[in-house]
Amino acid sequence: SVTVNEDIGSAQYGQAYDTMSSFSSWGVPGSLELKPEITAPGGYIYSVDGMVPGGESYENMSGTSMASPQVAGMAALVAGHIRSNQLDEKTGVSSRHLIQSLLMSTAQPLKDGENYYPVIQQGAGLANVGSAISASSYVLVDGQPDGKVKAELGDDPERTGKYQFRFTLNNLTNEAQEYLLSADLFTQDLFEDYASMDEKWL
């Protein structure tokens, strides 16, 4: 027998279910900018059906229309944290730049089994607002005036195979901090080389 209810329900699955959707866009564009920049839940999201008036109908939907509100909501929460702690005034960095730095540098890179999904598929990783508002530091990357934490190495017309970028770790606390940086290099079939940093993605 089958029982059908009208109740609204939801379920939260563990890390093993955090996979990239098959329809997600991949970078890199012709400008060689690093895209996408961050990942948010956007596949098979239980949300209100806008075709039915009054917000009384729900359905599972996928796509940018599901992921974008997630990022907007997280950005609003981080903005509230920045405002309540006056971090923009203390650091001299605009709220917008801090939001982008905190969300990208604390995002959790997702794995496809044993290996990480390509950076050109997931960007900095899955945004985590809890990690962003509890961060004890923020990152600024030279050449990224908008606070986005990414290294765009661009073209190598001389074919030297050498790339470099500079970044600054900024302490948000009154205590000294130490960092142990490590790097993982990945290759992907079509796009040869790209890099990501372990834990705090740069």
Side-chain angles (χ1 to χ4, degrees), residues 136-193:
S136 58
S137 61
Y138 66 97
V139 185
L140 293 179
V141 178
D142 287 7
Q144 297 292 343
D146 55 7
K148 292 180 180 176
V149 184
K150 58 180 182 174
E152 295 175 326
L153 304 178
D155 198 4
D156 182 18
E158 303 299 322
R159 306 221 184 277
T160 63
K162 296 179 181 179
Y163 299 90
Q164 66 180 12
F165 65 96
R166 299 174 63 90
F167 63 92
T168 307
L169 293 171
N170 300 275
N171 194 346
L172 287 171
T173 72
N174 294 323
E175 299 176 2
Q177 297 191 53
E178 294 183 0
Y179 298 89
L180 178 61
L181 300 180
S182 63
D184 292 320
L185 289 177
F186 302 90
T187 59
Q188 188 63 24
D189 297 338
L190 186 57
F191 304 95
E192 284 299 321
D193 292 322

Side-chain angles (χ1 to χ4, degrees), residues 3-196:
T3 302
V4 179
N5 295 317
E6 293 184 7
D7 295 339
I8 298 171
S10 64
Q12 183 174 351
Y13 296 98
Q15 185 73 25
Y17 288 87
D18 293 338
T19 58
M20 295 299 298
S21 296
S22 60
F23 54 80
S24 292
S25 297
W26 284 55
V28 174
S31 61
L32 298 183
E33 294 175 285
L34 186 55
K35 300 287 184 178
E37 294 171 336
I38 201 162
T39 294
Y44 209 61
I45 304 297
Y46 193 58
S47 182
V48 68
D49 182 353
M51 299 298 290
V52 178
E56 298 179 358
S57 178
Y58 290 76
E59 65 176 330
N60 288 310
M61 293 183 283
S62 299
T64 306
S65 59
M66 296 293 102
S68 294
Q70 301 258 5
V71 175
M74 287 187 270
L77 291 171
V78 176
H81 167 72
I82 290 169
R83 188 177 304 113
S84 63
N85 291 282
Q86 299 177 323
L87 295 181
D88 50 350
E89 296 176 19
K90 292 176 182 176
T91 62
V93 178
S94 73
S95 292
R96 178 174 161 266
H97 293 180
L98 282 173
I99 291 167
Q100 294 182 146
S101 173
L102 290 170
L103 281 174
M104 289 184 71
S105 64
T106 60
Q108 177 62 48
L110 298 177
K111 286 187 173 182
D112 182 11
E114 293 295 316
N115 302 311
Y116 286 105
Y117 283 102
V119 174
I120 55 176
Q121 185 180 11
Q122 68 169 318
L126 182 63
N128 185 321
V129 71
S131 296
I133 64 174
S134 61
S136 58
S137 61
Y138 66 97
V139 185
L140 293 179
V141 178
D142 287 7
Q144 297 292 343
D146 55 7
K148 292 180 180 176
V149 184
K150 58 180 182 174
E152 295 175 326
L153 304 178
D155 198 4
D156 182 18
E158 303 299 322
R159 306 221 184 277
T160 63
K162 296 179 181 179
Y163 299 90
Q164 66 180 12
F165 65 96
R166 299 174 63 90
F167 63 92
T168 307
L169 293 171
N170 300 275
N171 194 346
L172 287 171
T173 72
N174 294 323
E175 299 176 2
Q177 297 191 53
E178 294 183 0
Y179 298 89
L180 178 61
L181 300 180
S182 63
D184 292 320
L185 289 177
F186 302 90
T187 59
Q188 188 63 24
D189 297 338
L190 186 57
F191 304 95
E192 284 299 321
D193 292 322
Y194 61 95
S196 74

